[in-house]
Amino acid sequence: MIGLISATAAGTAARDRLAAAWPDRTRVYGGPVADAVRAAFAECDRLVCFLATGAVVRLVAPLLHGKTDDPGVVCVDEAGRYAVSLLGGHGGGANELAREVGEVLGAEPVVTTATDAVGLPGLDTLGLPVEGDVAAVSRALLDGEAVALRAEVTWPLPPLPVAAEGAYTVRVTDRSAEPADGEAVLRPPTLVVGVGASKGAPVEEVLALVESALREAGLSAASMAELATVDAKAGEPGLVEAARRLGVPLVTHPAEALARVAVPNPSDAPLAAVGTPSVAEAAALVGGGELLVPKRKSAGSPAMATCAVVRRPGRGRLAVVGLGPGARDLLTPRARDELRRASVLVGLDQYVDQIRDLLRPGTRVLESGLGAEEERARTAVEEARRGQAVALIGSGDAGVYAMASPALAEASDDIDVIGVPGVTAALAAGALLGAPLGHDHVSISLSDLHTPWEVIERRVRAAAEADLVVTFYNPRSRGRDWQLPKALAVLAGHRAPATPVGIVRNASRADESVRLTTLAALDPATVDMMTVVTVGNTATRQIAGRMVTPRGYRWQEETR
């Protein structure tokens, strides 16, 4: 919960805007300011104070406990110009909160955390437990000193400017070894603990079994991803409470799924009880991985629980990111986040140039020229299969005549794939023209490089007969100069010569141009590959110099 505190009329107005935008995330604290801050500090995980920073410093100073315990605090000034991350930038989430507050209120986020200021990911912001000499290693990264990365297990990390050797180390491991001097240890959630339990198994017996299994195998409980068991034990109190105390989910699987898993130690007892010859080993292995601790029994007499431990490999992450039509302000916040999260960027060289300045230091860039779409898709998938966090970029929306299709055709279920939508060329052009896409519409590429012209022409004819607004992508190039005239002739067989046509070149870019003409007057020679051509339907009109397609034919008839 985010506590909101204000003292003045202007602060209260801004506070209420934020409360209205986030009704389920915020709680307003009224009354004397000191009392409000004290109550919010105790009850909320983050605070937004519409007060001067000096006042907030004095109010929260007596309340501070420690970096890992205190809530994040953001201050917004009286004029609403700045959202200042004051306390708990990383651990308390104040840095991200300042950015979110800024988006809602139109304020400039002010973040002074050193790693954020220079574009480095903080080791305590990666979503993984971290321990050891975190401050010294972070300082070494900031100072450009050699920091080595020792990845004992694979995990998709954001870019870190690391070297092969160095006086400082970032170690990625699920082992329980103590960090050395000058070493920060990241513990990814690679361990799955399968558990079986008799009815009424005490939580203390389950916990003792799990903890001893990890300890004797030299594994860290901080790397536990889940407790796994059979569906029949989903409500077993000892397992439910053990998962709660360990801070991991209790994941259950159908008995028939576990029965199909090959295990080294099957047994007749669970087969008779729940329908599978193995619970602990099978539940741990059902998602694949390496069996580190075979089935073992608890110390009770009789033993009431069994467990097994499996290390699952870190899954690579492929984000397919749409960059929009070119303007920086049409790049979505989600796309920005994915670009900064990726340790490997794959893309067309001219698109890489558009966003190179947004990449974090240490990002590996794999760029290539026109005509290498399949190669880029394969490269991105291969890098993800190596356990990397990869961003594959395309213009507009990556799923529209761009990189999502070849990438997903190449990818299998051994990696995680995230689609990040972008503003398409058709939408960017439509906004510049007016409202040409106000009713049903279709996009058709006139490039016959991958699609036979007979198929393209059949689709154009179908759109013409259906009276759909048509946006043509890839309308004309030096080597393809006859397809656009042919497509326009098909449309002319079903639409009047005065049908509005919008011609937008380089939508949202510096040399953008917008023209409105008609189906009869359009000169195809004025169109190239950087152009989007939008042809209206029979209801589309020019109104005040804009191209407008009514939302419905009935509405059009009623307003005549």
Side-chain angles (χ1 to χ4, degrees):
M1 187 61 66
I2 302 170
L4 306 180
I5 302 106
S6 63
T8 67
T12 299
R15 179 203 70 187
D16 291 346
R17 285 175 58 197
L18 202 60
W22 299 339
D24 300 326
R25 301 175 60 193
T26 56
R27 180 186 302 159
V28 172
Y29 286 80
V33 170
D35 294 341
V37 169
R38 191 179 302 110
F41 202 90
E43 298 169 359
C44 298
D45 53 9
R46 290 178 290 176
L47 280 67
V48 179
C49 299
F50 296 85
L51 306 164
T53 55
V56 177
V57 168
R58 285 189 291 272
L59 290 169
V60 303
L63 309 176
L64 301 180
H65 293 289
K67 184 175 181 179
T68 59
D69 302 317
D70 296 329
V73 177
V74 170
C75 295
V76 178
D77 67 289
E78 182 75 2
R81 297 169 300 171
Y82 304 107
V84 182
S85 173
L86 183 69
L87 177 72
H90 285 165
N95 290 352
E96 182 58 30
L97 180 59
R99 296 184 182 100
E100 291 184 88
V101 170
E103 289 178 8
V104 174
L105 300 181
E108 179 73 21
V110 178
V111 176
T112 59
T113 310
T115 50
D116 292 80
V118 298
L120 287 174
L123 296 177
D124 55 350
T125 67
L126 304 182
L128 304 177
V130 58
E131 57 190 77
D133 207 349
V134 178
V137 175
S138 297
R139 192 161 50 246
L141 288 168
L142 287 167
D143 291 343
E145 297 187 45
V147 177
L149 177 64
R150 290 177 55 197
E152 298 174 8
V153 293
T154 301
W155 199 258
L157 297 173
L160 293 168
V162 292
E165 300 291 338
Y168 298 90
T169 305
V170 175
R171 184 180 178 192
V172 185
T173 184
D174 53 18
R175 295 286 174 184
S176 59
E178 288 295 317
D181 291 340
E183 182 177 68
V185 176
L186 296 170
R187 300 201 181 278
T190 56
L191 303 178
V192 177
V193 179
V195 287
S198 301
K199 183 177 177 59
V203 62
E204 289 78 11
E205 185 170 339
V206 175
L207 286 173
L209 173 63
V210 171
E211 290 165 356
S212 65
L214 293 172
R215 182 175 61 253
E216 292 172 22
L219 300 170
S220 172
S223 282
M224 281 187 60
E226 62 188 54
L227 284 185
T229 191
V230 66
D231 279 352
K233 296 295 179 179
E236 184 64 42
L239 297 185
V240 173
E241 179 62 14
R244 188 191 70 79
R245 293 192 195 178
L246 291 166
V248 297
L250 179 65
V251 178
T252 65
H253 303 280
E256 55 269 25
L258 298 186
R260 293 193 293 268
V261 179
V263 299
N265 300 293
S267 171
D268 292 335
L271 180 61
V274 293
T276 173
S278 171
V279 173
E281 288 180 339
L285 284 166
V286 69
E290 175 188 4
L291 184 63
L292 302 179
V293 180
K295 181 179 75 173
R296 55 187 293 169
K297 296 181 179 180
S298 58
S301 184
M304 300 283 283
T306 58
C307 84
V309 183
V310 163
R311 174 186 289 138
R312 289 185 183 169
R315 289 170 62 89
R317 189 176 191 278
L318 173 61
V320 187
V321 181
L323 300 180
R328 180 58 60 84
D329 60 352
L330 292 181
L331 178 69
T332 66
R334 188 180 300 178
R336 287 174 181 262
D337 291 343
E338 289 295 345
L339 293 175
R340 295 177 64 76
R341 178 171 182 165
S343 58
V344 179
L345 182 88
V346 182
L348 180 67
D349 47 14
Q350 60 187 16
Y351 298 152
V352 172
D353 289 341
Q354 289 180 20
I355 48 83
R356 198 183 296 272
D357 62 302
L358 297 178
L359 305 178
R360 290 190 187 274
T363 304
R364 185 157 54 94
V365 177
L366 304 177
E367 54 189 309
S368 53
L370 288 168
E373 287 84 1
E374 287 78 9
E375 178 187 343
R376 283 194 291 275
R378 282 194 297 271
T379 297
V381 171
E382 288 168 2
E383 290 290 336
R385 284 181 176 145
R386 295 189 183 106
Q388 301 292 327
V390 182
L392 175 63
I393 60 174
S395 67
D397 182 283
V400 179
Y401 304 121
M403 294 305 302
S405 293
L408 269 62
E410 193 74 26
S412 51
D413 62 0
D414 56 346
I415 62 173
D416 294 325
V417 179
I418 298 91
V420 182
V423 177
T424 67
L427 295 178
L432 292 168
L433 291 167
L437 308 182
H439 205 296
D440 296 338
H441 54 275
V442 63
S443 296
I444 299 176
S445 171
L446 295 184
S447 172
D448 55 0
L449 180 63
H450 299 290
T451 306
W453 173 253
E454 294 75 16
V455 174
I456 296 172
E457 184 174 358
R458 187 165 68 245
R459 291 171 178 172
V460 174
R461 196 172 303 282
E465 293 171 354
D467 199 27
L468 298 173
V469 176
V470 181
T471 298
F472 288 125
Y473 279 71
N474 306 312
R476 185 176 182 274
S477 67
R478 293 175 184 173
R480 293 188 304 100
D481 59 2
W482 58 268
Q483 287 89 343
L484 179 59
K486 179 68 173 175
L488 294 174
V490 171
L491 292 176
H494 298 265
R495 300 182 191 181
T499 300
V501 177
I503 311 297
V504 179
R505 188 177 189 277
N506 282 332
S508 86
R509 300 183 186 181
D511 54 348
E512 165 189 289
S513 66
V514 182
R515 291 187 294 120
L516 195 57
T517 184
T518 65
L519 189 56
L522 172 60
D523 180 4
T526 64
V527 172
D528 63 13
M529 285 288 285
M530 306 304 293
T531 305
V532 172
V533 177
T534 303
V535 182
N537 66 11
T538 57
T540 305
R541 298 289 182 267
Q542 288 193 41
I543 302 175
R546 303 180 186 93
M547 187 174 176
V548 180
T549 301
R551 289 182 59 185
Y553 291 87
R554 184 178 296 113
W555 172 83
Q556 178 193 14
E557 292 169 358
E558 291 172 354
T559 56
R560 282 179 178 172

